PDB file of all heavy atoms in Angstrom:
ATOM      1  N   ILE A   1       0.812  -1.219   0.000  1.00  0.00           N
ATOM      2  CA  ILE A   1       0.000   0.000   0.000  1.00  0.00           C
ATOM      3  C   ILE A   1       0.847   1.271   0.000  1.00  0.00           C
ATOM      4  O   ILE A   1       0.537   2.221  -0.728  1.00  0.00           O
ATOM      5  CB  ILE A   1      -0.978  -0.027   1.198  1.00  0.00           C
ATOM      6  CG1 ILE A   1      -1.902  -1.262   1.113  1.00  0.00           C
ATOM      7  CG2 ILE A   1      -1.802   1.235   1.272  1.00  0.00           C
ATOM      8  CD1 ILE A   1      -2.706  -1.375  -0.167  1.00  0.00           C
ATOM      9  N   ASP A   2       1.913   1.314   0.803  1.00  0.00           N
ATOM     10  CA  ASP A   2       2.740   2.528   0.869  1.00  0.00           C
ATOM     11  C   ASP A   2       3.371   2.840  -0.485  1.00  0.00           C
ATOM     12  O   ASP A   2       3.409   3.997  -0.918  1.00  0.00           O
ATOM     13  CB  ASP A   2       3.834   2.392   1.934  1.00  0.00           C
ATOM     14  CG  ASP A   2       3.251   2.413   3.340  1.00  0.00           C
ATOM     15  OD1 ASP A   2       2.168   2.990   3.514  1.00  0.00           O
ATOM     16  OD2 ASP A   2       3.881   1.853   4.262  1.00  0.00           O
ATOM     17  N   GLU A   3       3.859   1.785  -1.159  1.00  0.00           N
ATOM     18  CA  GLU A   3       4.468   1.987  -2.480  1.00  0.00           C
ATOM     19  C   GLU A   3       3.417   2.424  -3.502  1.00  0.00           C
ATOM     20  O   GLU A   3       3.675   3.300  -4.333  1.00  0.00           O
ATOM     21  CB  GLU A   3       5.153   0.698  -2.957  1.00  0.00           C
ATOM     22  CG  GLU A   3       6.416   0.380  -2.176  1.00  0.00           C
ATOM     23  CD  GLU A   3       6.910  -1.028  -2.450  1.00  0.00           C
ATOM     24  OE1 GLU A   3       6.365  -1.977  -1.847  1.00  0.00           O
ATOM     25  OE2 GLU A   3       7.823  -1.168  -3.276  1.00  0.00           O
ATOM     26  N   ALA A   4       2.224   1.828  -3.424  1.00  0.00           N
ATOM     27  CA  ALA A   4       1.136   2.212  -4.328  1.00  0.00           C
ATOM     28  C   ALA A   4       0.820   3.695  -4.154  1.00  0.00           C
ATOM     29  O   ALA A   4       0.704   4.436  -5.132  1.00  0.00           O
ATOM     30  CB  ALA A   4      -0.109   1.365  -4.048  1.00  0.00           C
ATOM     31  N   LEU A   5       0.741   4.125  -2.900  1.00  0.00           N
ATOM     32  CA  LEU A   5       0.433   5.524  -2.613  1.00  0.00           C
ATOM     33  C   LEU A   5       1.527   6.449  -3.152  1.00  0.00           C
ATOM     34  O   LEU A   5       1.231   7.486  -3.750  1.00  0.00           O
ATOM     35  CB  LEU A   5       0.256   5.725  -1.104  1.00  0.00           C
ATOM     36  CG  LEU A   5      -0.149   7.131  -0.663  1.00  0.00           C
ATOM     37  CD1 LEU A   5      -1.479   7.548  -1.279  1.00  0.00           C
ATOM     38  CD2 LEU A   5      -0.222   7.196   0.861  1.00  0.00           C
ATOM     39  N   ASP A   6       2.802   6.059  -2.980  1.00  0.00           N
ATOM     40  CA  ASP A   6       3.919   6.873  -3.485  1.00  0.00           C
ATOM     41  C   ASP A   6       3.789   7.133  -4.986  1.00  0.00           C
ATOM     42  O   ASP A   6       3.913   8.273  -5.437  1.00  0.00           O
ATOM     43  CB  ASP A   6       5.273   6.186  -3.228  1.00  0.00           C
ATOM     44  CG  ASP A   6       5.708   6.316  -1.782  1.00  0.00           C
ATOM     45  OD1 ASP A   6       5.129   7.145  -1.057  1.00  0.00           O
ATOM     46  OD2 ASP A   6       6.640   5.582  -1.384  1.00  0.00           O
ATOM     47  N   PHE A   7       3.540   6.064  -5.747  1.00  0.00           N
ATOM     48  CA  PHE A   7       3.459   6.219  -7.206  1.00  0.00           C
ATOM     49  C   PHE A   7       2.233   7.023  -7.621  1.00  0.00           C
ATOM     50  O   PHE A   7       2.297   7.832  -8.543  1.00  0.00           O
ATOM     51  CB  PHE A   7       3.502   4.856  -7.903  1.00  0.00           C
ATOM     52  CG  PHE A   7       4.882   4.285  -7.945  1.00  0.00           C
ATOM     53  CD1 PHE A   7       5.251   3.259  -7.107  1.00  0.00           C
ATOM     54  CD2 PHE A   7       5.839   4.807  -8.812  1.00  0.00           C
ATOM     55  CE1 PHE A   7       6.549   2.742  -7.122  1.00  0.00           C
ATOM     56  CE2 PHE A   7       7.136   4.309  -8.837  1.00  0.00           C
ATOM     57  CZ  PHE A   7       7.486   3.274  -7.992  1.00  0.00           C
ATOM     58  N   LEU A   8       1.119   6.820  -6.923  1.00  0.00           N
ATOM     59  CA  LEU A   8      -0.090   7.576  -7.275  1.00  0.00           C
ATOM     60  C   LEU A   8       0.047   9.057  -6.913  1.00  0.00           C
ATOM     61  O   LEU A   8      -0.453   9.913  -7.632  1.00  0.00           O
ATOM     62  CB  LEU A   8      -1.317   6.941  -6.609  1.00  0.00           C
ATOM     63  CG  LEU A   8      -1.717   5.596  -7.227  1.00  0.00           C
ATOM     64  CD1 LEU A   8      -2.696   4.848  -6.343  1.00  0.00           C
ATOM     65  CD2 LEU A   8      -2.288   5.772  -8.623  1.00  0.00           C
ATOM     66  N   LEU A   9       0.754   9.353  -5.827  1.00  0.00           N
ATOM     67  CA  LEU A   9       0.989  10.758  -5.473  1.00  0.00           C
ATOM     68  C   LEU A   9       1.921  11.429  -6.486  1.00  0.00           C
ATOM     69  O   LEU A   9       1.744  12.607  -6.830  1.00  0.00           O
ATOM     70  CB  LEU A   9       1.550  10.881  -4.055  1.00  0.00           C
ATOM     71  CG  LEU A   9       0.534  10.604  -2.929  1.00  0.00           C
ATOM     72  CD1 LEU A   9       1.232  10.531  -1.579  1.00  0.00           C
ATOM     73  CD2 LEU A   9      -0.582  11.645  -2.910  1.00  0.00           C
ATOM     74  N   LYS A  10       2.926  10.673  -6.977  1.00  0.00           N
ATOM     75  CA  LYS A  10       3.800  11.208  -8.038  1.00  0.00           C
ATOM     76  C   LYS A  10       2.963  11.528  -9.277  1.00  0.00           C
ATOM     77  O   LYS A  10       3.138  12.568  -9.910  1.00  0.00           O
ATOM     78  CB  LYS A  10       4.875  10.188  -8.418  1.00  0.00           C
ATOM     79  CG  LYS A  10       6.052  10.139  -7.465  1.00  0.00           C
ATOM     80  CD  LYS A  10       7.054   9.095  -7.911  1.00  0.00           C
ATOM     81  CE  LYS A  10       8.052   8.834  -6.793  1.00  0.00           C
ATOM     82  NZ  LYS A  10       8.854   7.644  -7.011  1.00  0.00           N
ATOM     83  N   LEU A  11       2.065  10.613  -9.611  1.00  0.00           N
ATOM     84  CA  LEU A  11       1.214  10.811 -10.780  1.00  0.00           C
ATOM     85  C   LEU A  11       0.279  11.996 -10.570  1.00  0.00           C
ATOM     86  O   LEU A  11       0.032  12.776 -11.491  1.00  0.00           O
ATOM     87  CB  LEU A  11       0.416   9.535 -11.072  1.00  0.00           C
ATOM     88  CG  LEU A  11      -0.438   9.542 -12.320  1.00  0.00           C
ATOM     89  CD1 LEU A  11       0.368   9.900 -13.557  1.00  0.00           C
ATOM     90  CD2 LEU A  11      -1.117   8.197 -12.507  1.00  0.00           C
ATOM     91  N   HIS A  12      -0.213  12.161  -9.343  1.00  0.00           N
ATOM     92  CA  HIS A  12      -1.098  13.293  -9.030  1.00  0.00           C
ATOM     93  C   HIS A  12      -0.373  14.628  -9.270  1.00  0.00           C
ATOM     94  O   HIS A  12      -0.989  15.601  -9.721  1.00  0.00           O
ATOM     95  CB  HIS A  12      -1.586  13.200  -7.583  1.00  0.00           C
ATOM     96  CG  HIS A  12      -2.379  14.388  -7.147  1.00  0.00           C
ATOM     97  ND1 HIS A  12      -3.594  14.721  -7.710  1.00  0.00           N
ATOM     98  CD2 HIS A  12      -2.122  15.346  -6.227  1.00  0.00           C
ATOM     99  CE1 HIS A  12      -4.045  15.820  -7.144  1.00  0.00           C
ATOM    100  NE2 HIS A  12      -3.170  16.226  -6.242  1.00  0.00           N
ATOM    101  N   ALA A  13       0.927  14.660  -8.997  1.00  0.00           N
ATOM    102  CA  ALA A  13       1.703  15.879  -9.243  1.00  0.00           C
ATOM    103  C   ALA A  13       1.750  16.209 -10.742  1.00  0.00           C
ATOM    104  O   ALA A  13       1.788  17.377 -11.127  1.00  0.00           O
ATOM    105  CB  ALA A  13       3.118  15.724  -8.689  1.00  0.00           C
ATOM    106  N   ILE A  14       1.721  15.155 -11.588  1.00  0.00           N
ATOM    107  CA  ILE A  14       1.750  15.355 -13.042  1.00  0.00           C
ATOM    108  C   ILE A  14       0.342  15.644 -13.580  1.00  0.00           C
ATOM    109  O   ILE A  14       0.159  16.500 -14.436  1.00  0.00           O
ATOM    110  CB  ILE A  14       2.335  14.104 -13.751  1.00  0.00           C
ATOM    111  CG1 ILE A  14       3.760  13.832 -13.274  1.00  0.00           C
ATOM    112  CG2 ILE A  14       2.318  14.272 -15.263  1.00  0.00           C
ATOM    113  CD1 ILE A  14       4.294  12.463 -13.667  1.00  0.00           C
ATOM    114  N   LEU A  15      -0.649  14.910 -13.060  1.00  0.00           N
ATOM    115  CA  LEU A  15      -2.045  15.034 -13.520  1.00  0.00           C
ATOM    116  C   LEU A  15      -2.943  15.401 -12.338  1.00  0.00           C
ATOM    117  O   LEU A  15      -3.652  14.544 -11.798  1.00  0.00           O
ATOM    118  CB  LEU A  15      -2.527  13.710 -14.130  1.00  0.00           C
ATOM    119  CG  LEU A  15      -1.743  13.129 -15.294  1.00  0.00           C
ATOM    120  CD1 LEU A  15      -2.222  11.720 -15.627  1.00  0.00           C
ATOM    121  CD2 LEU A  15      -1.854  14.017 -16.525  1.00  0.00           C
ATOM    122  N   PRO A  16      -2.913  16.662 -11.889  1.00  0.00           N
ATOM    123  CA  PRO A  16      -3.632  17.025 -10.664  1.00  0.00           C
ATOM    124  C   PRO A  16      -5.151  16.889 -10.741  1.00  0.00           C
ATOM    125  O   PRO A  16      -5.806  16.763  -9.713  1.00  0.00           O
ATOM    126  CB  PRO A  16      -3.219  18.481 -10.417  1.00  0.00           C
ATOM    127  CG  PRO A  16      -2.723  18.983 -11.720  1.00  0.00           C
ATOM    128  CD  PRO A  16      -2.210  17.797 -12.476  1.00  0.00           C
ATOM    129  N   ASN A  17      -5.729  16.892 -11.941  1.00  0.00           N
ATOM    130  CA  ASN A  17      -7.189  16.813 -12.061  1.00  0.00           C
ATOM    131  C   ASN A  17      -7.676  15.488 -12.631  1.00  0.00           C
ATOM    132  O   ASN A  17      -8.790  15.409 -13.149  1.00  0.00           O
ATOM    133  CB  ASN A  17      -7.709  17.973 -12.921  1.00  0.00           C
ATOM    134  CG  ASN A  17      -7.508  19.298 -12.232  1.00  0.00           C
ATOM    135  OD1 ASN A  17      -7.691  19.406 -11.022  1.00  0.00           O
ATOM    136  ND2 ASN A  17      -7.107  20.304 -12.980  1.00  0.00           N
ATOM    137  N   SER A  18      -6.867  14.453 -12.515  1.00  0.00           N
ATOM    138  CA  SER A  18      -7.289  13.143 -13.019  1.00  0.00           C
ATOM    139  C   SER A  18      -8.225  12.482 -12.012  1.00  0.00           C
ATOM    140  O   SER A  18      -7.830  12.184 -10.882  1.00  0.00           O
ATOM    141  CB  SER A  18      -6.072  12.248 -13.259  1.00  0.00           C
ATOM    142  OG  SER A  18      -6.498  10.916 -13.452  1.00  0.00           O
ATOM    143  N   ALA A  19      -9.475  12.254 -12.439  1.00  0.00           N
ATOM    144  CA  ALA A  19     -10.471  11.653 -11.552  1.00  0.00           C
ATOM    145  C   ALA A  19     -10.036  10.266 -11.091  1.00  0.00           C
ATOM    146  O   ALA A  19     -10.180   9.918  -9.913  1.00  0.00           O
ATOM    147  CB  ALA A  19     -11.819  11.574 -12.264  1.00  0.00           C
ATOM    148  N   GLN A  20      -9.449   9.462 -12.015  1.00  0.00           N
ATOM    149  CA  GLN A  20      -9.033   8.103 -11.650  1.00  0.00           C
ATOM    150  C   GLN A  20      -7.956   8.118 -10.573  1.00  0.00           C
ATOM    151  O   GLN A  20      -7.989   7.326  -9.636  1.00  0.00           O
ATOM    152  CB  GLN A  20      -8.511   7.338 -12.877  1.00  0.00           C
ATOM    153  CG  GLN A  20      -9.552   7.035 -13.912  1.00  0.00           C
ATOM    154  CD  GLN A  20      -9.623   8.117 -14.986  1.00  0.00           C
ATOM    155  OE1 GLN A  20      -9.285   9.272 -14.746  1.00  0.00           O
ATOM    156  NE2 GLN A  20     -10.087   7.753 -16.160  1.00  0.00           N
ATOM    157  N   VAL A  21      -7.002   9.037 -10.705  1.00  0.00           N
ATOM    158  CA  VAL A  21      -5.898   9.115  -9.745  1.00  0.00           C
ATOM    159  C   VAL A  21      -6.429   9.551  -8.385  1.00  0.00           C
ATOM    160  O   VAL A  21      -6.094   8.952  -7.357  1.00  0.00           O
ATOM    161  CB  VAL A  21      -4.790  10.074 -10.242  1.00  0.00           C
ATOM    162  CG1 VAL A  21      -3.700  10.237  -9.195  1.00  0.00           C
ATOM    163  CG2 VAL A  21      -4.204   9.562 -11.548  1.00  0.00           C
ATOM    164  N   LEU A  22      -7.269  10.572  -8.357  1.00  0.00           N
ATOM    165  CA  LEU A  22      -7.853  11.047  -7.098  1.00  0.00           C
ATOM    166  C   LEU A  22      -8.633   9.925  -6.411  1.00  0.00           C
ATOM    167  O   LEU A  22      -8.525   9.728  -5.198  1.00  0.00           O
ATOM    168  CB  LEU A  22      -8.766  12.251  -7.357  1.00  0.00           C
ATOM    169  CG  LEU A  22      -8.068  13.541  -7.794  1.00  0.00           C
ATOM    170  CD1 LEU A  22      -9.079  14.554  -8.318  1.00  0.00           C
ATOM    171  CD2 LEU A  22      -7.254  14.139  -6.656  1.00  0.00           C
ATOM    172  N   TYR A  23      -9.405   9.179  -7.215  1.00  0.00           N
ATOM    173  CA  TYR A  23     -10.195   8.076  -6.645  1.00  0.00           C
ATOM    174  C   TYR A  23      -9.293   7.000  -6.036  1.00  0.00           C
ATOM    175  O   TYR A  23      -9.543   6.511  -4.934  1.00  0.00           O
ATOM    176  CB  TYR A  23     -11.111   7.458  -7.704  1.00  0.00           C
ATOM    177  CG  TYR A  23     -11.919   6.320  -7.143  1.00  0.00           C
ATOM    178  CD1 TYR A  23     -13.087   6.571  -6.431  1.00  0.00           C
ATOM    179  CD2 TYR A  23     -11.496   4.998  -7.279  1.00  0.00           C
ATOM    180  CE1 TYR A  23     -13.816   5.543  -5.875  1.00  0.00           C
ATOM    181  CE2 TYR A  23     -12.224   3.958  -6.720  1.00  0.00           C
ATOM    182  CZ  TYR A  23     -13.383   4.242  -6.018  1.00  0.00           C
ATOM    183  OH  TYR A  23     -14.094   3.219  -5.455  1.00  0.00           O
ATOM    184  N   GLN A  24      -8.227   6.630  -6.756  1.00  0.00           N
ATOM    185  CA  GLN A  24      -7.329   5.581  -6.259  1.00  0.00           C
ATOM    186  C   GLN A  24      -6.615   6.011  -4.981  1.00  0.00           C
ATOM    187  O   GLN A  24      -6.429   5.206  -4.066  1.00  0.00           O
ATOM    188  CB  GLN A  24      -6.310   5.187  -7.336  1.00  0.00           C
ATOM    189  CG  GLN A  24      -6.897   4.424  -8.510  1.00  0.00           C
ATOM    190  CD  GLN A  24      -7.567   3.122  -8.109  1.00  0.00           C
ATOM    191  OE1 GLN A  24      -7.215   2.490  -7.104  1.00  0.00           O
ATOM    192  NE2 GLN A  24      -8.539   2.697  -8.891  1.00  0.00           N
ATOM    193  N   ILE A  25      -6.219   7.287  -4.908  1.00  0.00           N
ATOM    194  CA  ILE A  25      -5.559   7.777  -3.692  1.00  0.00           C
ATOM    195  C   ILE A  25      -6.538   7.710  -2.515  1.00  0.00           C
ATOM    196  O   ILE A  25      -6.181   7.251  -1.421  1.00  0.00           O
ATOM    197  CB  ILE A  25      -5.005   9.206  -3.899  1.00  0.00           C
ATOM    198  CG1 ILE A  25      -3.854   9.186  -4.914  1.00  0.00           C
ATOM    199  CG2 ILE A  25      -4.526   9.800  -2.574  1.00  0.00           C
ATOM    200  CD1 ILE A  25      -3.369  10.552  -5.367  1.00  0.00           C
ATOM    201  N   ALA A  26      -7.774   8.152  -2.741  1.00  0.00           N
ATOM    202  CA  ALA A  26      -8.796   8.079  -1.683  1.00  0.00           C
ATOM    203  C   ALA A  26      -9.015   6.632  -1.255  1.00  0.00           C
ATOM    204  O   ALA A  26      -9.099   6.325  -0.055  1.00  0.00           O
ATOM    205  CB  ALA A  26     -10.105   8.694  -2.173  1.00  0.00           C
ATOM    206  N   SER A  27      -9.071   5.736  -2.224  1.00  0.00           N
ATOM    207  CA  SER A  27      -9.279   4.313  -1.945  1.00  0.00           C
ATOM    208  C   SER A  27      -8.144   3.740  -1.090  1.00  0.00           C
ATOM    209  O   SER A  27      -8.371   2.957  -0.166  1.00  0.00           O
ATOM    210  CB  SER A  27      -9.390   3.556  -3.274  1.00  0.00           C
ATOM    211  OG  SER A  27      -9.343   2.180  -3.079  1.00  0.00           O
ATOM    212  N   ILE A  28      -6.912   4.165  -1.386  1.00  0.00           N
ATOM    213  CA  ILE A  28      -5.768   3.678  -0.618  1.00  0.00           C
ATOM    214  C   ILE A  28      -5.831   4.189   0.816  1.00  0.00           C
ATOM    215  O   ILE A  28      -5.578   3.437   1.770  1.00  0.00           O
ATOM    216  CB  ILE A  28      -4.440   4.045  -1.318  1.00  0.00           C
ATOM    217  CG1 ILE A  28      -4.252   3.105  -2.508  1.00  0.00           C
ATOM    218  CG2 ILE A  28      -3.259   3.955  -0.358  1.00  0.00           C
ATOM    219  CD1 ILE A  28      -3.080   3.391  -3.381  1.00  0.00           C
ATOM    220  N   TYR A  29      -6.208   5.452   1.000  1.00  0.00           N
ATOM    221  CA  TYR A  29      -6.343   5.972   2.372  1.00  0.00           C
ATOM    222  C   TYR A  29      -7.448   5.232   3.120  1.00  0.00           C
ATOM    223  O   TYR A  29      -7.353   5.024   4.327  1.00  0.00           O
ATOM    224  CB  TYR A  29      -6.586   7.478   2.372  1.00  0.00           C
ATOM    225  CG  TYR A  29      -5.301   8.267   2.258  1.00  0.00           C
ATOM    226  CD1 TYR A  29      -5.046   9.082   1.167  1.00  0.00           C
ATOM    227  CD2 TYR A  29      -4.317   8.173   3.256  1.00  0.00           C
ATOM    228  CE1 TYR A  29      -3.853   9.794   1.065  1.00  0.00           C
ATOM    229  CE2 TYR A  29      -3.129   8.878   3.156  1.00  0.00           C
ATOM    230  CZ  TYR A  29      -2.907   9.690   2.061  1.00  0.00           C
ATOM    231  OH  TYR A  29      -1.723  10.377   1.977  1.00  0.00           O
ATOM    232  N   GLU A  30      -8.475   4.815   2.393  1.00  0.00           N
ATOM    233  CA  GLU A  30      -9.541   4.031   3.025  1.00  0.00           C
ATOM    234  C   GLU A  30      -8.997   2.677   3.484  1.00  0.00           C
ATOM    235  O   GLU A  30      -9.284   2.220   4.590  1.00  0.00           O
ATOM    236  CB  GLU A  30     -10.690   3.844   2.027  1.00  0.00           C
ATOM    237  CG  GLU A  30     -12.028   3.690   2.683  1.00  0.00           C
ATOM    238  CD  GLU A  30     -13.172   3.591   1.680  1.00  0.00           C
ATOM    239  OE1 GLU A  30     -13.008   3.984   0.514  1.00  0.00           O
ATOM    240  OE2 GLU A  30     -14.222   3.097   2.093  1.00  0.00           O
ATOM    241  N   ILE A  31      -8.180   2.040   2.634  1.00  0.00           N
ATOM    242  CA  ILE A  31      -7.553   0.762   3.003  1.00  0.00           C
ATOM    243  C   ILE A  31      -6.647   0.955   4.217  1.00  0.00           C
ATOM    244  O   ILE A  31      -6.574   0.093   5.096  1.00  0.00           O
ATOM    245  CB  ILE A  31      -6.741   0.193   1.811  1.00  0.00           C
ATOM    246  CG1 ILE A  31      -7.675  -0.236   0.682  1.00  0.00           C
ATOM    247  CG2 ILE A  31      -5.859  -0.974   2.239  1.00  0.00           C
ATOM    248  CD1 ILE A  31      -6.984  -0.501  -0.645  1.00  0.00           C
ATOM    249  N   MET A  32      -5.951   2.113   4.264  1.00  0.00           N
ATOM    250  CA  MET A  32      -5.054   2.416   5.385  1.00  0.00           C
ATOM    251  C   MET A  32      -5.813   2.832   6.648  1.00  0.00           C
ATOM    252  O   MET A  32      -5.217   3.162   7.659  1.00  0.00           O
ATOM    253  CB  MET A  32      -4.078   3.533   4.989  1.00  0.00           C
ATOM    254  CG  MET A  32      -3.126   3.153   3.884  1.00  0.00           C
ATOM    255  SD  MET A  32      -2.242   4.577   3.217  1.00  0.00           S
ATOM    256  CE  MET A  32      -0.826   4.646   4.298  1.00  0.00           C
ATOM    257  N   GLU A  33      -7.148   2.818   6.561  1.00  0.00           N
ATOM    258  CA  GLU A  33      -8.027   3.200   7.666  1.00  0.00           C
ATOM    259  C   GLU A  33      -7.751   4.625   8.144  1.00  0.00           C
ATOM    260  O   GLU A  33      -7.639   4.901   9.336  1.00  0.00           O
ATOM    261  CB  GLU A  33      -7.934   2.181   8.815  1.00  0.00           C
ATOM    262  CG  GLU A  33      -8.407   0.807   8.388  1.00  0.00           C
ATOM    263  CD  GLU A  33      -8.300  -0.245   9.480  1.00  0.00           C
ATOM    264  OE1 GLU A  33      -7.815   0.079  10.579  1.00  0.00           O
ATOM    265  OE2 GLU A  33      -8.703  -1.392   9.207  1.00  0.00           O
ATOM    266  N   ASP A  34      -7.629   5.521   7.163  1.00  0.00           N
ATOM    267  CA  ASP A  34      -7.474   6.948   7.443  1.00  0.00           C
ATOM    268  C   ASP A  34      -8.641   7.673   6.765  1.00  0.00           C
ATOM    269  O   ASP A  34      -8.495   8.255   5.684  1.00  0.00           O
ATOM    270  CB  ASP A  34      -6.119   7.443   6.899  1.00  0.00           C
ATOM    271  CG  ASP A  34      -5.810   8.869   7.315  1.00  0.00           C
ATOM    272  OD1 ASP A  34      -6.755   9.591   7.725  1.00  0.00           O
ATOM    273  OD2 ASP A  34      -4.641   9.278   7.207  1.00  0.00           O
ATOM    274  N   PRO A  35      -9.849   7.629   7.415  1.00  0.00           N
ATOM    275  CA  PRO A  35     -11.038   8.179   6.758  1.00  0.00           C
ATOM    276  C   PRO A  35     -10.950   9.679   6.480  1.00  0.00           C
ATOM    277  O   PRO A  35     -11.494  10.157   5.485  1.00  0.00           O
ATOM    278  CB  PRO A  35     -12.178   7.865   7.732  1.00  0.00           C
ATOM    279  CG  PRO A  35     -11.518   7.593   9.038  1.00  0.00           C
ATOM    280  CD  PRO A  35     -10.154   7.076   8.730  1.00  0.00           C
ATOM    281  N   ASN A  36     -10.246  10.427   7.329  1.00  0.00           N
ATOM    282  CA  ASN A  36     -10.160  11.875   7.106  1.00  0.00           C
ATOM    283  C   ASN A  36      -9.431  12.187   5.803  1.00  0.00           C
ATOM    284  O   ASN A  36      -9.855  13.052   5.034  1.00  0.00           O
ATOM    285  CB  ASN A  36      -9.467  12.570   8.290  1.00  0.00           C
ATOM    286  CG  ASN A  36     -10.334  12.514   9.535  1.00  0.00           C
ATOM    287  OD1 ASN A  36     -11.558  12.519   9.448  1.00  0.00           O
ATOM    288  ND2 ASN A  36      -9.700  12.430  10.692  1.00  0.00           N
ATOM    289  N   GLN A  37      -8.310  11.473   5.553  1.00  0.00           N
ATOM    290  CA  GLN A  37      -7.596  11.668   4.292  1.00  0.00           C
ATOM    291  C   GLN A  37      -8.437  11.188   3.113  1.00  0.00           C
ATOM    292  O   GLN A  37      -8.460  11.825   2.059  1.00  0.00           O
ATOM    293  CB  GLN A  37      -6.248  10.923   4.313  1.00  0.00           C
ATOM    294  CG  GLN A  37      -5.151  11.669   5.025  1.00  0.00           C
ATOM    295  CD  GLN A  37      -4.765  12.958   4.318  1.00  0.00           C
ATOM    296  OE1 GLN A  37      -4.734  13.040   3.095  1.00  0.00           O
ATOM    297  NE2 GLN A  37      -4.496  13.988   5.088  1.00  0.00           N
ATOM    298  N   ALA A  38      -9.117  10.056   3.289  1.00  0.00           N
ATOM    299  CA  ALA A  38      -9.979   9.532   2.213  1.00  0.00           C
ATOM    300  C   ALA A  38     -11.041  10.572   1.855  1.00  0.00           C
ATOM    301  O   ALA A  38     -11.284  10.841   0.671  1.00  0.00           O
ATOM    302  CB  ALA A  38     -10.628   8.219   2.640  1.00  0.00           C
ATOM    303  N   ILE A  39     -11.650  11.186   2.871  1.00  0.00           N
ATOM    304  CA  ILE A  39     -12.671  12.212   2.638  1.00  0.00           C
ATOM    305  C   ILE A  39     -12.060  13.406   1.900  1.00  0.00           C
ATOM    306  O   ILE A  39     -12.639  13.917   0.934  1.00  0.00           O
ATOM    307  CB  ILE A  39     -13.324  12.639   3.977  1.00  0.00           C
ATOM    308  CG1 ILE A  39     -14.258  11.525   4.474  1.00  0.00           C
ATOM    309  CG2 ILE A  39     -14.088  13.952   3.820  1.00  0.00           C
ATOM    310  CD1 ILE A  39     -14.766  11.715   5.898  1.00  0.00           C
ATOM    311  N   GLU A  40     -10.871  13.845   2.341  1.00  0.00           N
ATOM    312  CA  GLU A  40     -10.202  14.983   1.690  1.00  0.00           C
ATOM    313  C   GLU A  40     -10.028  14.740   0.189  1.00  0.00           C
ATOM    314  O   GLU A  40     -10.300  15.609  -0.638  1.00  0.00           O
ATOM    315  CB  GLU A  40      -8.832  15.235   2.321  1.00  0.00           C
ATOM    316  CG  GLU A  40      -8.869  15.946   3.658  1.00  0.00           C
ATOM    317  CD  GLU A  40      -9.492  17.330   3.578  1.00  0.00           C
ATOM    318  OE1 GLU A  40      -9.128  18.100   2.668  1.00  0.00           O
ATOM    319  OE2 GLU A  40     -10.363  17.631   4.408  1.00  0.00           O
TER     320      GLU A  40
END
């Protein structure tokens, strides 16, 4: 999960408005049981 998040955050820096990337990052925070970040 940590590595997945690293790569998706790098991608978010390149594509800040990509709906798929935003969704996957939120999903990973949900898996990490961090609901506040998932909501953000």
Side-chain angles (χ1 to χ4, degrees):
I1 301 303
D2 290 334
E3 289 168 279
L5 183 60
D6 283 345
F7 283 105
L8 289 166
L9 287 171
K10 280 179 193 167
L11 184 54
H12 174 64
I14 300 167
L15 303 171
N17 293 320
S18 167
Q20 293 93 334
V21 175
L22 291 167
Y23 180 82
Q24 290 301 332
I25 293 171
S27 169
I28 284 175
Y29 277 117
E30 208 176 341
I31 292 166
M32 295 168 88
E33 297 178 358
D34 188 342
N36 292 329
Q37 279 295 323
I39 287 170
E40 283 299 313

